[in-house]
Amino acid sequence: RERESIKKVYLAHVRHWPPYHEHRQTEGNIDIPLAPSRTERIKWEVLPVAEGGKECKTFWKVYEDMDKSSSSNEEGATENTPTVAKGITLELHPITGRTHQLRLH
């Protein structure tokens, strides 16, 4: 009998995502170990596994680039009108399930 599993997928809107906007990557993995903060009870921090951090992985890919999907000839826009970056939507797949993992990644 095949075991059923739940796969969680989240969408996140960001104005700037360095792997995409600076390096043109459309998908990748975030592998940053996390641990409860040593100084503040309700916070988390990046901490190497050797120092007590726990493995924390998220797969991401670009779901939509709103700057590309919006028309450059929007009503009322002129050649000299400055454009405001609308950002992109990321599809996030947490591989591990750490508390606040997606917020920190």
Side-chain angles (χ1 to χ4, degrees), residues 25-62:
Q25 295 176 353
T26 57
E27 64 181 45
N29 288 299
I30 302 169
D31 186 0
I32 301 173
L34 301 173
S37 172
R38 293 172 278 192
T39 58
E40 297 185 50
R41 189 178 64 83
I42 61 172
K43 291 191 176 183
W44 287 74
E45 64 186 3
V46 174
L47 193 67
V49 172
E51 295 177 29
K54 295 184 179 181
E55 182 179 272
C56 191
K57 296 181 180 184
T58 302
F59 171 76
W60 66 270
K61 70 179 181 178
V62 174

Side-chain angles (χ1 to χ4, degrees), residues 1-9 94-95:
R1 176 175 146 176
E2 189 175 320
R3 186 175 181 186
E4 293 180 34
S5 64
I6 296 173
K7 298 195 187 261
K8 296 180 180 182
V9 178
I95 297 167

